[in-house]
Amino acid sequence: MSEQQHREQAGQKSGFETRAIHAGYEPDEATGAVIPPIYATSTYKQDGVGGLRGGYEYSRSGNPTRTALEGNIAALEEGERGFAFASGLAAEDTLVRALCAPGDHVVVPDDAYGGTYRLFDKVERAWGLEHSSAAVSDVDAVRAAIRPGETKLVWVETPTNPLLNIGDIEALAGVAHDAGALLVVDNTFASPYLQQPLTLGADVVVHSTTKYCGGHSDVVGGALVVRDLEVAERVAFHQNAMGAVAGPFDSWLVLRGLKTLGVRMDRHCDNAERVVEFLAGHPDVTQVIYPGLEEHPGHAVASRQMKRYGGMVSFRVAGGEQQALGVCERAEVFTLGESLGGVESLIEHPGRMTHASVAGTDLEVPADLVRLSVGIETADDLLADLDRALGARA
């Protein structure tokens, strides 16, 4: 038995960084390897018909590398069971099919990742699942959007993408449970290091592990973590039946990323705070959106449920859409690109890029908005780059 297992058996929970490094895998008995192998196999030799070694028969149903990742992320989110997928959207679709049926209803955020909205609006609606949008920062609005007897899931992002609104997870869990629904929290922006929604009453956590969990912009993946074993069984059945699982190499990359999540997130937050301070004093910036600012409407809630405020920063510029586009194009250290959460800093124009799919809907984002994923480079270089990019109006 490992030291971590001894501690947990004695009722002493290991620290986050210890769990990130050790949870989900014990050193290999044959070789002593401290890192899980990449089990690049599709099938497994059986010891007689139905005689499975460790429960493995086919790698869609289970793979030891994926098992290690699923155990690790479940430990970090303090959940009962984790599930790894080929992408965040694959995780979301599997969850919806597992917990909903045609004719059911879901409440979704009025500020959310465009791909999530597209999934609900263009794919799940055609399947027969209805949805309504509500501001995650307004508990009464979420309550009003629920349809008694029909709403099965209340789906929130906190912080939201890209306007960084904050939802009170504990309060929203109460609202969902009072209506007989489950609360699903997309924890991608915060990561398990900064926030554990299951400990606040959420039922399911969703991640795009492409982002902070992987952390190096070299893998696409998704994950679900649940706190109820009955929900876990339903998700497990659909994960296997639908088949959009994480492959062994992708699982290995995400697991490698999780081991350094804590130290990376601290640096992301440090740099983001420097960027926010710079932008707040720039004459061409009309608004800085960051939960760490006292004037942010969700600051008090974020301070209560998050360890720190994250590496995502959004801001609006005085010159409108053209200046926003110009800032994105002139940046050099900040790479113009979609996605977020990697070690490198990224800049994007949500209206033309990640959120183009919500144009003309309630989720449409301001045209003068720029979104930053602040990386872990030298902070002074990031500030100098933003100064250059903002220096000349388009």
Side-chain angles (χ1 to χ4, degrees), residues 100-389:
C100 299
D104 288 341
H105 174 258
V106 177
V107 177
V108 300
D110 68 353
D111 173 41
Y113 169 51
T116 296
Y117 181 78
R118 180 177 58 223
L119 175 69
F120 281 108
D121 195 54
K122 306 300 183 185
V123 179
E124 311 297 4
R125 187 193 292 274
W127 178 60
L129 183 68
E130 295 297 317
H131 67 270
S132 302
S133 60
V136 302
S137 57
D138 187 338
V139 175
D140 290 334
V142 172
R143 183 184 291 109
I146 290 174
R147 300 177 185 174
E150 296 180 22
T151 301
K152 295 298 187 291
L153 302 176
V154 174
W155 192 290
V156 302
E157 297 176 6
T158 181
T160 61
N161 182 2
L163 296 177
L164 303 177
N165 291 302
I166 301 295
D168 185 329
I169 296 171
E170 188 172 7
L172 292 170
V175 167
H177 296 159
D178 286 347
L182 300 181
L183 179 67
V184 179
V185 177
D186 186 330
N187 202 29
T188 298
F189 268 29
S191 86
Y193 180 67
L194 300 181
Q195 180 173 267
Q196 294 88 38
L198 299 181
T199 67
L200 298 170
D203 299 284
V204 185
V205 167
V206 176
H207 281 284
S208 170
T209 55
T210 308
K211 313 306 193 298
Y212 288 111
C213 291
H216 294 78
S217 299
D218 56 8
V219 62
V220 173
L224 301 173
V225 182
V226 305
R227 67 184 182 97
D228 180 85
L229 291 177
E230 182 179 349
V231 171
E233 288 303 312
R234 295 168 68 179
V235 171
F237 173 83
H238 283 77
Q239 182 191 41
N240 182 52
M242 296 172 68
V245 297
F249 185 53
D250 291 346
S251 297
W252 187 88
L253 286 171
V254 174
L255 187 58
R256 181 192 65 172
L258 285 170
K259 292 179 185 296
T260 61
L261 179 62
V263 292
R264 285 189 288 106
M265 290 308 300
D266 278 336
R267 183 61 174 267
H268 283 299
C269 293
D270 289 344
N271 282 357
E273 289 167 7
R274 290 282 306 278
V275 166
V276 166
E277 182 181 14
F278 167 79
L279 292 172
H282 198 284
D284 274 4
V285 175
T286 59
Q287 183 184 13
V288 181
I289 306 172
Y290 187 66
L293 291 170
E294 290 187 3
E295 60 266 29
H296 187 288
H299 176 72
V301 174
S303 299
R304 185 169 68 246
Q305 67 188 22
M306 297 177 70
K307 182 176 181 179
R308 295 183 68 180
Y309 303 104
M312 300 301 299
V313 180
S314 293
F315 65 97
R316 302 177 70 174
V317 292
E321 183 177 35
Q322 287 308 305
Q323 187 182 15
L325 293 171
V327 170
C328 292
E329 291 166 0
R330 287 190 293 270
E332 296 177 1
V333 181
F334 279 86
T335 300
L336 177 61
E338 297 193 3
S339 197
L340 58 104
V343 293
E344 71 291 320
S345 293
L346 297 176
I347 189 170
E348 69 132 356
H349 184 267
R352 296 280 190 98
M353 296 170 67
T354 53
H355 289 69
S357 61
V358 299
T361 74
D362 293 341
L363 280 73
E364 184 170 359
V365 299
D368 60 358
L369 185 75
V370 176
R371 192 192 74 180
L372 305 176
S373 174
V374 182
I376 65 172
E377 301 95 337
T378 303
D380 288 343
D381 293 334
L382 298 178
L383 303 187
D385 190 46
L386 289 172
D387 194 39
R388 285 192 300 269

Side-chain angles (χ1 to χ4, degrees), residues 65-75 81-85 225 239:
T65 314
R66 192 173 90 226
T67 298
L69 169 59
E70 292 174 336
N72 186 275
I73 198 165
R81 191 165 172 189
F83 301 89
F85 295 85
V225 182
Q239 182 191 41

Side-chain angles (χ1 to χ4, degrees), residues 25-35:
Y25 175 75
E26 290 297 316
D28 180 68
E29 290 187 7
T31 67
V34 299
I35 299 298

